Structures are given as structure tokens and as C-alpha cells.
Amino acid sequence: MKTYLVTGGAGFIGTNFIRHALTLNSDWRIINLDVLTYAGNPANFEDLPPDVAKRYVFIPGDIQDKHLLDGVFSKEDLDGVIHFAAESHVDRSILGPEAFVQTNVVGTFTLLQRCLEHWKSSNNKEDFRFLHVSTDEVYGSLGSDGYFTENTPYDPSSPYSASKASADHFVKAYHRTFGLPAVITNCSNNYGPYQFPEKLIPLIISNILAHKPLPIYGDGKNVRDWLYVIDHCEALLAVLNKGKPGETYNIGGGAERENIQIVHTLCDILDNRLGSTDNGTSRELITYISDRPGHDRRYAIDAGKIKQELGWSPRYRFEEALEDTVDWYLQNTSWVDSVQSGEYLKWIEKNYHDRQS
Ligand code: NAD
Ligand code: TYD
């Protein structure tokens, strides 16, 4: 049996990773340490089949809590740590950056330091991995051509990407200075089940269903490189199993789309699913609002290294996986209702109030 510690596993990507990895690997146990911010939902694991559920352990707690971490590291003989825990939303980092420094920088540092102490005294030094899950946003913005490679200089624009960049540097330093067998992944925008409806795709789906305005920042022509979350999870497994300590791997979907294209596609899929309504077509809900400050224009990943060295490339086609994602949200309206709590409504008011352009 192998045992992995996952941080932030009750969030979007962590949930998909745990569910996928435990189903795929019947000899894995996963301990999920998550402080359960607004973005974490422990109910995401309530429907695990019994043979999977018995290999899943949830520990509520903060990655900044040294004593809690020491307890986990000394009790468990870990084969690795997969570190997802973060504050992850750019708009929130603009309105309240402090939590991003605390969790993404101080939290990552605390986790690295506790991990290092225990790794030094463990019998399992060779095979242990610290997998740090990061973002392509650390590279800043591209113009209309070019791609991010692993050698692109860091140039973050938002407090979110600055905090992730800082965390990446600490991870690299812990490998170079102390030999901690760490690997870093920098991935493009994910979409799929269990994503909190503050991010573009689930927000637009929710708003279409509620006949609310569909907010488009700026001219709607910013480009993101979209990756289905299960493809990301498979890339992370490839890096965990075959990645070289000290290396960085960029992960991307090769599916560049302008935001407005995404919104049009979602409107069309939902109009098709729901049939025509008295409210007209969903595209009529599109509302341009003032731009996000420091809004990166384009992200695009060169995923050549992970393909050549580890044999990973995305399996899902964007338009098909987007339809599957819409269907998941249509079939899981109670999940969406449960996360759209008072805190969510306050956030929507804070971010979108007074932004009509
Ligand atoms: P998310 O916001 O959905 O989930 C984050 C999780 O971390 C939540 O469950 C939250 O409760 C937990 N958490 C926050 N602070 C914590 C703390 N101090 N201690 C313990 N747990 C804490 O985020 P996500 O979209 O699942 O992203 C996961 C990781 O992947 C992040 O590190 C993010 O930077 C990275 N990433 C995300 C994307 C994307 O498109 N979503 C793309 C590339 C990289
Ligand atoms: P988001 O999902 O927040 O991811 P990120 O900022 O990390 O790329 O946003 C994706 C794109 O969609 C980004 O260019 C901002 C834009 N956007 C809107 O136009 N309207 C919205 O309401 C949101 C949340 C995002």
C-alpha cells in the first residue's frame, strides 16, 4: 500500500485528483488535509464506493499549522505529498491579497519545512516525491503569438500569480539547497466537475440557468488555454510516477479560446439542452463590464517536454468535454446550490457591483 498526503483536496482539482487516483490505484491510500475555505467541500467524497472510501482519510486543518503537519508526518510513512492547497481566484487576490500570501507563500513554506525535516529522517528517501501543483500564470502574459515553456522567465501580474511564483521559488530552493525530491507543474486553466462557480465556466453556466447577466471583462478577447481537469490529473500522476526531481513540467490543453467564444459556446450548449424559453436565447444575457486590473491577455502552453519525456498528452477534446461539464452541472444542481451560500452571494456582490461599463 502507498500513502500520499494531498493538501487542498476538497477543492476543485484536488477532489477530481483524489477520486481519480484512488479509483485507478487500488493500492493507494490518500490523506486529504484541507482547512475548508469557501472553496473546499468535504461532501465531494460522500458518494465514494466502499472499496475506495476505506482508502480515503480526511483531516481538517491548515497547511500553516506546524504541529498538525508534524503529527501527520510522524504518524504516516508517506510516499509523497501532492500540494494543491491554495487561494486560487485572481479576482479575490485583487480585492483581498493577504490570504494569498498567507496560504500560498507562508503555507507552502511551512509545508516544505515540515516535509523536509521528516524526509531527512525517513527510510523512504529515494522514492519520496513532493509534487507542487502550480499555474501557468506565473509566466505573465503572452502577446498574440508564442508559448510558455519551462524556461520562460517568471513575470506574474496579479497577487495570486505573484504568490504562486513565490511558492514555486521556495520549492525549487528546497530541492537545490536541501535535496528535497520536489517536482513542479505549471498548468493552464482547468474546467470540469466540482469547480466553484466563481471561475468563468461554472459561473457562466450558473448564471445562464438563473437567467442572470453573463459578465464579460473588458473586450472578451483574452485568451486562455483550456484543459479538462481529468487530463490535468493524469498529467500529475505521470509527473509523480516518472518526473525527475528538481524539474518543472508545463501542462496545457492546446485548446486556446477567447473568453467570448467560451461564453457563446456555453450559451449554445445550454439553449440546446434546455430548449427555447420565453426569455429568448442565452446570448442576450451577455453583459460587458469593466476589465480586471492587470488582466493577462493570453496564456498558451508548450507541453512538449511532458509529452516527450513522460509520454503525457491530453485525451479529451475541448468541445466534447465542455458539453460533459455542462451536463455535470445540470445533473448536480444541488451541489451548486449547496456551495452558493451566503459567502458566495457576498462575493458576487463585492466583485460585480459597480462594474457595468
Ligand atoms: P480551489 O480554490 O478550488 O481549492 C483550493 C483548496 O485548498 C480548497 O479546498 C481550500 O479549502 C483549500 N485550502 C485553502 N487554503 C488552505 C490552507 N491554508 N490549508 C489547507 N487547505 C487550504 O483551487 P483549485 O482550482 O482546485 O486549484 C488547486 C491548485 O491548482 C492551486 O494550487 C492552484 O493554484 C492550482 N491551479 C489551478 C488551476 C485552475 O484552473 N483551477 C490551474 C493551474 C493550477
Ligand atoms: P478565471 O476563471 O477567473 O481564471 P483566470 O483568471 O485564472 O484565467 O477567468 C478566466 C477568464 O475569464 C479571464 O480572462 C477573466 C475572464 N472572466 C470574465 O470575463 N468574467 C468573469 O465573470 C470571470 C470570473 C472571468
Side-chain angles (χ1 to χ4, degrees), residues 195-343:
Q195 188 167 29
F196 193 78
E198 64 184 354
K199 305 277 166 65
L200 181 70
I201 288 178
L203 179 101
I204 295 296
I205 297 172
S206 283
N207 284 16
I208 292 174
L209 293 175
H211 300 293
K212 289 188 180 152
L214 310 180
I216 312 286
Y217 298 169
D219 65 2
K221 294 194 170 156
N222 299 65
V223 172
R224 299 291 182 263
D225 172 356
W226 293 93
L227 180 71
Y228 189 54
V229 64
I230 296 300
D231 274 326
H232 186 189
C233 295
E234 290 180 353
L236 294 174
L237 289 172
V239 173
L240 191 67
N241 293 327
K242 299 184 265 178
K244 217 170 129 220
E247 292 292 314
T248 287
Y249 299 89
N250 279 358
I251 304 171
E256 285 183 55
R257 300 285 186 280
E258 288 180 349
N259 294 337
I260 190 66
Q261 282 178 277
I262 303 274
V263 175
H264 281 156
T265 309
L266 288 171
C267 288
D268 296 348
I269 296 172
L270 275 156
D271 284 350
N272 179 277
R273 291 289 190 279
L274 301 172
S276 62
T277 67
D278 294 342
N279 297 301
T281 65
S282 302
R283 287 191 187 208
E284 289 163 29
L285 297 168
I286 291 173
T287 307
Y288 285 87
I289 65 171
S290 63
D291 209 353
R292 171 189 281 171
H295 196 177
D296 287 331
R297 192 63 175 168
R298 174 172 166 261
Y299 302 143
I301 287 274
D302 175 347
K305 176 174 172 181
I306 188 169
K307 183 174 184 191
Q308 276 134 36
E309 295 186 12
L310 309 185
W312 175 88
S313 47
R315 287 198 294 128
Y316 291 87
R317 277 199 50 243
F318 178 73
E319 272 71 19
E320 284 163 21
L322 192 64
E323 292 210 23
D324 291 348
T325 302
V326 170
D327 289 335
W328 187 88
Y329 280 90
L330 285 172
Q331 286 152 18
N332 290 277
T333 47
S334 59
W335 183 89
V336 179
D337 291 345
S338 72
V339 298
Q340 287 180 329
S341 62
E343 201 282 339

Side-chain angles (χ1 to χ4, degrees), residues 21 24 28 72 81 96 104 108 119 203 223 297 302 314 325:
L24 213 63
W28 274 35
V72 176
V81 175
N104 300 0
T108 299
W119 173 75
L203 179 101
V223 172
R297 192 63 175 168
D302 175 347
T325 302

Side-chain angles (χ1 to χ4, degrees), residues 7-15 33-41 61-64 83-89 102-104 107 132-137 160 164 185-191 194-196 198-199 226 232:
T7 68
F12 163 47
I13 305 174
T15 292
L33 186 142
D34 193 305
V35 78
L36 300 179
T37 66
Y38 74 94
N41 191 349
D62 196 319
I63 53 166
Q64 297 172 75
H83 176 35
F84 294 96
E87 289 291 337
S88 69
H89 190 33
Q102 287 305 330
T103 285
N104 300 0
H132 175 63
V133 181
S134 191
T135 167
D136 61 352
E137 304 194 21
Y160 163 65
K164 292 294 291 187
T185 55
N186 294 94
C187 186
S188 61
N189 288 58
N190 284 214
Y191 63 99
Y194 301 102
Q195 188 167 29
F196 193 78
E198 64 184 354
K199 305 277 166 65
W226 293 93
H232 186 189

Side-chain angles (χ1 to χ4, degrees), residues 15-54:
T15 292
N16 281 285
F17 180 84
I18 292 173
R19 295 177 67 98
H20 190 69
L22 284 178
T23 307
L24 213 63
N25 301 293
S26 56
D27 61 340
W28 274 35
R29 278 176 74 231
I30 289 183
I31 299 161
N32 176 16
L33 186 142
D34 193 305
V35 78
L36 300 179
T37 66
Y38 74 94
N41 191 349
N44 294 350
F45 302 97
E46 277 172 1
D47 64 341
L48 290 179
D51 60 312
V52 176
K54 68 181 186 218

